[in-house]
Amino acid sequence: MKKLFALALLALLGSAQANDPLQKVRQFRQTHEHELLTEFEQLVAIPNVAADTANLRRTAGFIQEMMQRRGIKTQLLAAPTAGVPPVVFGEVRTPGATRTVIFYAHYDGQPVNPAQWREGLSPFKPTLATGPLDRGGQLATRPAPGQPLSPDWRLYARSASDDKAGVMTILTGYQALVASKLKPKVNIKFFFEGEEERGSPHLAEILARHKALLASDVWVICDGPVHQSGRKQVVFGARGDVNMSLKVYGPRRPLHSGHYGNWVPNPAMELSRLLASMTDSTGRVRVAGFYDDVTPLTPAEKTALAQVPNLDKTIQQELGFARPYGTGQSLVELLNQPSLNINGMQSANVGAQAANVIPTVATAVLDLRLVPGNDAQRQVQKVIRHIERQGYHVTRDEPTDAERAQFPRLVRVQPETGYNAQRTRLDLPIARQVVAAVQTTTPDRVVLLPTMGGSLPLYVFEQQLQAQTITVPVANYDNNQHAENENIRLGNLWDGIETMAAIMLLK
Amino acid sequence: MKKLFALALLALLGSAQANDPLQKVRQFRQTHEHELLTEFEQLVAIPNVAADTANLRRTAGFIQEMMQRRGIKTQLLAAPTAGVPPVVFGEVRTPGATRTVIFYAHYDGQPVNPAQWREGLSPFKPTLATGPLDRGGQLATRPAPGQPLSPDWRLYARSASDDKAGVMTILTGYQALVASKLKPKVNIKFFFEGEEERGSPHLAEILARHKALLASDVWVICDGPVHQSGRKQVVFGARGDVNMSLKVYGPRRPLHSGHYGNWVPNPAMELSRLLASMTDSTGRVRVAGFYDDVTPLTPAEKTALAQVPNLDKTIQQELGFARPYGTGQSLVELLNQPSLNINGMQSANVGAQAANVIPTVATAVLDLRLVPGNDAQRQVQKVIRHIERQGYHVTRDEPTDAERAQFPRLVRVQPETGYNAQRTRLDLPIARQVVAAVQTTTPDRVVLLPTMGGSLPLYVFEQQLQAQTITVPVANYDNNQHAENENIRLGNLWDGIETMAAIMLLK
């Protein structure tokens, strides 16, 4: 009796269990999950950091094999610039279909520092654990084939979440449909980029070169995490992003801190003073004009934001800090503002290698997140002007002897290209259809987010192709994306397959 | 005619050329410089960082062999605490001598980060160069035996200057006297420590345990650089030193800077703000009471300071910075103040490994230099109080979950033991005699420095043995002591042998 009631409730809420096609997709996954996990482990075992072009090409080749296994016609789209990791493109035409959905994910990953990974883990040696290792999970070996895999297990590896999970769920969503003899209702295209974590510097030229090939009604971007509550979410935009590195100069050679301390300027101290000048104690950026050109949210976006479940207190407790930045705003409200973050900083050594020296240089890497209205290079220029106002002479190269002699405060600033933010309208018909498709896969109400905090080169699609983009993430929120110990929860991988398949069944 | 005049002038100035015993010492060195360099290369090739106790013991053993080769009776003085690198002690009695001079150097070195050393160099692979590598010197192989070695060549290795040069010049000064059939006029003792760069944490207990054995009229400390002008110097004191590390906490795991930036506090930014609060833009320390307990200089010390040659402009140009800290004081004036230096700082990564993250922690190592009147632990407490005044909760261990939940600003502070400053009176008779002895080795006026900027555990000798200490350095000032690319100029090694021999001839 109880069971029947529960089933009825589920059917009412979202009809996931009642949806025949998706049940077949689930059955396919359940029957094949060991093989799928093996294939995914092979995919994440190939190193994919920006500098390693040989392995990025191996990754692209492996993805082509995955597509061929699934009967997808594939080709590599090279950038006009030499040495750029190619886009892996694929296409499936559906007879009679009038619309085309193009699925995007990226196969490159963030840089790694293997020394920072937890003992027993290595960025490109995928490793299973019974749960999150920082909260009780244990390293584990896979159950024998035929034994079920717990959805709460994690696979640890660089890009397990960001964003090889995107590649895997898109391709396997399609595979499950075909294996279940379910016909997609739309033409499907696949677009897997290899430079996203570098800021997609060649995406625009690739899009421009292949406009006809890439024609579509909507780009579905599979990247980023689902909501912290575990609920699926559909995201209508992303912040832009641009990185810049700052290098402050001290003496030409490292000096004994006793024989010269108090007299020779210490670049670590000067960099600290410079960075500290950039924000106040609430994290608000003090760079002049930093918030000036932000486009206000529409009423529909404000409403959507208000409906996003607020788990701030829970997340804060889990992350172990007592007071968030801001003056009482929620996480999602603050993500609709531009930000200035220190990604890392270094001067000489700490720990066992620390020595009593005045360092020669001190370096920090900043990332600036952008919201609609901001322009990446304009934002960089505001920061540079701020640095100059602190008395610095800004150089693009190593300072010359003459510059060292002339300027008491010397900093080398190297901005990257970056890209701007983008936001798709919430009331766009195709957007509503994608949301409805995702809703068929889950009894829980799908979270609609006007913008995600992370960045995706959505702006480039809009600019080059006048394309509409909608982001449908699959990864668990606690995936250590971008950092050491990146991981994916297996249940998120499996759920993602259903999500992608559902979108392919869009009429 | 001109030559005769020059010789007469030299004789007047310092009589180095006219001093027969020292000419013999020089001839001995000239005849044996290849063998001596080989022995010194073997000495510096043995790793000597604090954690590597096995190699520190090998170093001590090698020094004992050097002493045995020179006919010096030697023994190891162990600390009561287990696992401490032993002191290498030696003794030579001179029949009829009424006074005893004990020579001190240390055989341990500062930590190394081999990756930071220049290409072609490695901390424990001694390498010759034709001059300073940062100013035109080239890596070089040694001329054939019998060919003279240029005094301007450098030997690159950790501790080549600091302070295996001290061990080498002391032992070889004695060797040259004996080989030249010159009799020392005083009893000579040798004391080579193995923990100086760690702050000599067990020196006091070793001194206390061997008071009788270590009785002397004066300790001659051979450590540190000669004056920047190249002139020899005698130093009457050293600053004290104590290190402390600060670790500021952010979120428990590293976070994607897009999805959490603006909301989760960034520990690199907070550490920057904390460090920036500690000094003003002239480098003056803003920690309350930091300068309060400084003992003023005596009139004699002020006079000596005023006579130190001022090469500040030259050094500044060479080091490549446009404005020193301070408000117009000279380098030697500022070295008579306590200081607060950032030895190093780090948070996440920079350069190729930088990722778009909010780091979990940010760390800095400070060293506080102390002058007479300061107490190491009192100075540390002032800094801790300053940190607390910036709103921080200070812990000694990793913060607990409860501390993370309660305190918005959390820092772990780990102070080391350190030691205080010491200064010997300039008008002490034995001090005057040592100065006179050093003056016999050079036509240039010896520089008298009331205190060096660097630190030596002189305070411990005074406290434990009521001993008088005088420091007679030998290394070139541009030796990269404590940092990567440490080196000694061969001419300084050779001059040091003569300096040490001259002191042994003290009546």
Side-chain angles (χ1 to χ4, degrees):
Chain A
M1 181 65 187
K2 259 187 177 166
K3 198 175 176 186
L4 268 179
F5 175 74
L7 279 176
L9 185 68
L10 283 174
L12 268 173
L13 273 168
S15 73
Q17 315 310 82
N19 183 315
D20 270 341
L22 288 174
Q23 278 208 344
K24 290 186 184 165
V25 168
R26 179 169 298 185
Q27 279 163 10
F28 170 83
R29 184 266 300 171
Q30 285 169 336
T31 314
H32 295 87
E33 60 186 20
H34 276 273
E35 294 152 53
L36 292 171
L37 184 57
T38 299
E39 187 185 44
F40 188 58
E41 285 175 347
Q42 290 168 348
L43 176 63
V44 292
I46 310 173
N48 66 341
V49 296
D52 190 354
T53 49
N55 272 313
L56 284 169
R57 284 178 183 277
R58 271 184 63 208
T59 312
F62 188 86
I63 293 171
Q64 285 198 292
E65 286 172 37
M66 291 173 69
M67 293 168 84
Q68 284 156 2
R69 270 199 289 281
R70 288 157 172 85
I72 300 167
K73 213 174 70 185
T74 165
Q75 60 176 299
L76 298 179
L77 309 184
T81 305
V84 173
V87 165
V88 184
F89 177 79
E91 189 168 8
V92 176
R93 289 187 187 271
T94 301
T98 57
R99 306 214 291 176
T100 301
V101 179
I102 181 164
F103 287 85
Y104 167 99
H106 64 88
Y107 64 82
D108 63 313
Q110 281 274 318
V112 292
N113 184 346
Q116 290 169 344
W117 286 55
R118 189 184 268 260
E119 208 185 317
L121 299 182
S122 173
F124 300 109
K125 195 175 144 288
T127 306
L128 281 169
T130 59
L133 290 172
D134 56 345
R135 279 159 292 149
Q138 300 293 323
L139 296 183
T141 49
R142 205 205 290 188
Q147 298 297 309
L149 297 169
S150 162
D152 286 326
W153 281 32
R154 307 271 174 132
L155 184 73
Y156 281 83
R158 169 58 83 231
S159 295
S161 269
D162 181 16
D163 182 32
K164 287 177 176 172
V167 175
M168 185 70 193
T169 53
I170 291 168
L171 292 181
T172 308
Y174 175 74
Q175 178 182 18
L177 291 186
V178 173
S180 313
K181 312 242 183 281
L182 296 164
K183 293 257 178 274
K185 305 282 195 301
V186 292
N187 296 313
I188 300 174
K189 294 179 181 175
F190 303 89
F191 186 97
F192 301 126
E193 193 197 351
E195 281 200 317
E196 197 271 344
E197 299 294 4
R198 282 193 59 202
S200 302
H202 302 95
L203 181 61
E205 62 185 45
I206 294 175
L207 297 183
R209 203 185 207 188
H210 300 283
K211 275 189 180 167
L213 191 68
L214 301 174
S216 71
D217 293 274
V218 68
W219 285 69
V220 171
I221 311 289
C222 183
D223 196 2
V226 301
H227 190 258
Q228 290 94 344
S229 61
R231 280 161 62 178
K232 295 193 177 184
Q233 69 184 1
V234 175
V235 187
F236 292 80
R239 290 203 281 190
D241 192 23
V242 60
N243 282 15
M244 55 196 299
S245 74
L246 316 180
K247 188 175 178 185
V248 168
Y249 293 83
R252 203 177 263 129
R253 61 169 188 272
L255 295 173
H256 187 294
S257 58
H259 296 316
Y260 294 94
N262 271 9
W263 187 67
V264 175
N266 183 310
M269 182 57 89
E270 297 311 313
L271 177 66
S272 294
R273 203 184 313 287
L274 178 58
L275 293 170
S277 74
M278 294 185 184
T279 64
D280 70 16
S281 63
T282 70
R284 184 158 176 95
V285 180
R286 294 172 60 205
V287 170
F290 198 77
Y291 301 97
D292 277 0
D293 33 27
V294 174
T295 305
L297 294 172
T298 64
E301 288 163 346
K302 283 185 185 162
T303 305
L305 268 191
Q307 287 173 359
V308 174
N310 186 323
L311 292 183
D312 290 7
K313 279 283 166 211
T314 313
I315 303 169
Q316 188 184 326
Q317 195 173 14
E318 186 195 314
L319 294 176
F321 63 95
R323 187 170 62 204
Y325 280 155
T327 48
Q329 302 95 323
S330 68
L331 170 56
V332 289
E333 282 175 282
L334 288 168
L335 296 185
N336 281 284
Q337 292 291 327
S339 69
L340 182 154
N341 180 67
I342 303 176
N343 282 353
M345 65 181 187
Q346 182 160 24
S347 184
N349 297 294
V350 298
Q353 290 178 324
N356 285 334
V357 294
I358 301 171
T360 56
V361 293
T363 307
V365 176
L366 304 182
D367 79 318
L368 311 179
R369 299 281 169 173
L370 314 165
V371 298
N374 293 149
D375 174 75
Q377 289 310 311
R378 203 164 60 223
Q379 207 75 344
V380 165
Q381 284 309 317
K382 292 177 198 167
V383 176
I384 290 178
R385 276 199 301 276
H386 175 87
I387 294 171
E388 287 170 342
R389 285 200 190 105
Q390 313 306 308
Y392 276 86
H393 177 71
V394 174
T395 72
R396 287 299 291 261
D397 300 299
E398 288 289 305
T400 61
D401 289 353
E403 285 171 327
R404 280 180 169 278
Q406 184 180 352
F407 301 108
R409 292 181 181 164
L410 261 179
V411 64
R412 181 183 188 183
V413 177
Q414 292 175 287
E416 295 184 4
T417 310
Y419 52 76
N420 293 347
Q422 188 273 349
R423 209 151 57 208
T424 295
R425 283 172 49 206
L426 274 80
D427 56 2
L428 209 67
I430 188 83
R432 293 182 182 209
Q433 287 180 291
V434 170
V435 173
V438 175
Q439 189 63 74
T440 63
T441 67
T442 171
D444 301 316
R445 193 178 179 83
V446 171
V447 176
L448 305 186
L449 205 59
T451 193
M452 66 160 68
S455 298
L456 286 165
L458 307 180
Y459 175 77
V460 183
F461 297 107
E462 188 176 76
Q463 226 187 11
Q464 295 296 324
L465 307 176
Q466 294 74 51
Q468 305 294 347
T469 55
I470 292 172
T471 301
V472 184
V474 299
N476 39 300
Y477 82 100
D478 57 348
N479 60 21
N480 275 29
Q481 201 180 338
H482 286 203
E484 56 272 22
N485 312 328
E486 180 175 347
N487 66 84
I488 183 111
R489 184 179 159 275
L490 295 188
N492 283 67
L493 204 58
W494 307 149
D495 289 348
I497 294 169
E498 296 174 24
T499 307
M500 294 301 134
I503 299 172
M504 291 173 193
L505 291 174
L506 204 74
K507 277 172 203 138
Chain B
M1 180 65 191
K2 260 183 175 168
K3 197 172 170 186
L4 268 178
F5 175 74
L7 279 174
L9 186 68
L10 283 174
L12 271 172
L13 274 169
S15 73
Q17 314 312 77
N19 185 315
D20 270 339
L22 288 174
Q23 277 207 347
K24 290 185 185 168
V25 168
R26 179 168 299 184
Q27 279 163 10
F28 169 83
R29 183 267 300 172
Q30 286 169 337
T31 313
H32 295 86
E33 60 187 19
H34 277 273
E35 295 153 53
L36 293 171
L37 183 56
T38 299
E39 187 185 45
F40 188 58
E41 285 175 345
Q42 291 168 349
L43 176 62
V44 292
I46 309 173
N48 66 341
V49 296
D52 190 354
T53 49
N55 272 314
L56 283 170
R57 284 179 183 276
R58 271 183 63 208
T59 312
F62 188 87
I63 294 171
Q64 285 197 290
E65 286 172 37
M66 290 173 70
M67 294 168 84
Q68 284 155 1
R69 270 198 289 280
R70 288 158 172 84
I72 301 166
K73 213 173 70 183
T74 167
Q75 60 176 301
L76 297 180
L77 308 184
T81 305
V84 173
V87 165
V88 184
F89 177 78
E91 189 167 10
V92 176
R93 288 187 187 272
T94 301
T98 56
R99 307 215 289 174
T100 300
V101 179
I102 182 163
F103 287 85
Y104 167 99
H106 64 88
Y107 64 81
D108 63 313
Q110 280 273 318
V112 292
N113 182 347
Q116 290 170 343
W117 286 55
R118 189 184 268 259
E119 208 186 317
L121 300 182
S122 173
F124 300 110
K125 193 177 145 287
T127 307
L128 281 168
T130 60
L133 290 171
D134 56 345
R135 278 159 293 149
Q138 300 293 324
L139 296 182
T141 50
R142 205 205 290 189
Q147 298 297 308
L149 297 169
S150 162
D152 286 325
W153 280 33
R154 307 272 173 129
L155 185 73
Y156 281 83
R158 169 58 82 231
S159 294
S161 270
D162 182 16
D163 184 31
K164 287 178 176 172
V167 175
M168 185 71 192
T169 54
I170 291 167
L171 292 181
T172 309
Y174 175 75
Q175 178 183 18
L177 291 185
V178 173
S180 314
K181 314 240 182 280
L182 296 163
K183 292 256 179 277
K185 305 283 196 301
V186 292
N187 296 313
I188 301 173
K189 293 177 180 176
F190 304 88
F191 186 99
F192 301 125
E193 193 197 350
E195 281 199 318
E196 197 271 344
E197 299 294 3
R198 282 194 59 203
S200 301
H202 302 94
L203 182 60
E205 62 185 47
I206 294 174
L207 297 183
R209 203 185 208 187
H210 300 283
K211 275 188 181 169
L213 190 67
L214 301 174
S216 71
D217 293 274
V218 68
W219 286 69
V220 172
I221 310 289
C222 183
D223 195 2
V226 301
H227 191 259
Q228 289 93 344
S229 62
R231 280 162 61 178
K232 295 192 177 184
Q233 69 184 0
V234 175
V235 187
F236 292 80
R239 290 203 281 191
D241 191 24
V242 59
N243 282 14
M244 54 197 298
S245 74
L246 316 180
K247 188 175 180 185
V248 169
Y249 293 83
R252 204 178 262 128
R253 61 169 188 271
L255 295 173
H256 187 294
S257 57
H259 296 315
Y260 294 95
N262 270 8
W263 186 67
V264 175
N266 184 310
M269 182 58 89
E270 296 312 312
L271 176 65
S272 294
R273 203 184 313 287
L274 177 59
L275 294 170
S277 75
M278 293 185 183
T279 64
D280 70 16
S281 63
T282 70
R284 186 162 176 92
V285 180
R286 295 171 61 204
V287 169
F290 198 77
Y291 300 98
D292 277 1
D293 33 27
V294 173
T295 305
L297 294 172
T298 65
E301 288 163 346
K302 283 184 185 164
T303 305
L305 268 191
Q307 286 174 358
V308 174
N310 186 322
L311 292 183
D312 290 5
K313 279 283 165 209
T314 313
I315 303 169
Q316 188 183 327
Q317 195 173 14
E318 187 194 314
L319 294 176
F321 64 95
R323 188 169 62 205
Y325 280 156
T327 48
Q329 303 95 323
S330 68
L331 169 57
V332 289
E333 282 176 282
L334 289 168
L335 296 185
N336 280 285
Q337 292 291 328
S339 70
L340 181 154
N341 180 68
I342 304 177
N343 282 353
M345 64 180 188
Q346 182 159 25
S347 185
N349 298 293
V350 297
Q353 290 179 325
N356 285 334
V357 294
I358 300 172
T360 55
V361 293
T363 307
V365 176
L366 304 182
D367 79 316
L368 312 179
R369 298 281 169 173
L370 314 164
V371 298
N374 293 148
D375 174 75
Q377 289 312 310
R378 203 163 61 224
Q379 207 75 345
V380 165
Q381 285 309 317
K382 292 177 197 167
V383 176
I384 291 178
R385 274 200 303 276
H386 175 87
I387 294 171
E388 288 169 341
R389 286 198 190 106
Q390 311 308 306
Y392 276 86
H393 177 71
V394 174
T395 72
R396 286 299 292 263
D397 299 300
E398 288 289 305
T400 62
D401 289 353
E403 285 170 326
R404 280 181 168 276
Q406 185 180 352
F407 301 107
R409 293 182 180 163
L410 261 179
V411 64
R412 180 182 187 184
V413 177
Q414 291 175 288
E416 296 185 1
T417 309
Y419 52 75
N420 294 347
Q422 187 275 349
R423 207 150 59 207
T424 295
R425 283 172 50 206
L426 273 80
D427 55 2
L428 210 67
I430 189 83
R432 293 182 181 209
Q433 287 179 293
V434 169
V435 173
V438 175
Q439 189 65 73
T440 63
T441 67
T442 171
D444 302 316
R445 193 178 181 87
V446 170
V447 176
L448 305 186
L449 206 59
T451 193
M452 65 159 70
S455 299
L456 286 164
L458 307 179
Y459 175 78
V460 184
F461 297 107
E462 188 176 76
Q463 228 187 11
Q464 294 296 324
L465 307 176
Q466 293 74 50
Q468 304 294 347
T469 54
I470 293 173
T471 301
V472 184
V474 299
N476 40 300
Y477 82 101
D478 57 350
N479 61 21
N480 275 27
Q481 200 181 338
H482 285 203
E484 56 271 23
N485 312 328
E486 180 174 350
N487 66 86
I488 183 111
R489 184 180 160 274
L490 296 188
N492 282 69
L493 204 59
W494 307 149
D495 289 349
I497 294 169
E498 295 174 24
T499 307
M500 294 302 134
I503 298 172
M504 292 173 193
L505 290 174
L506 206 74
K507 274 172 204 133

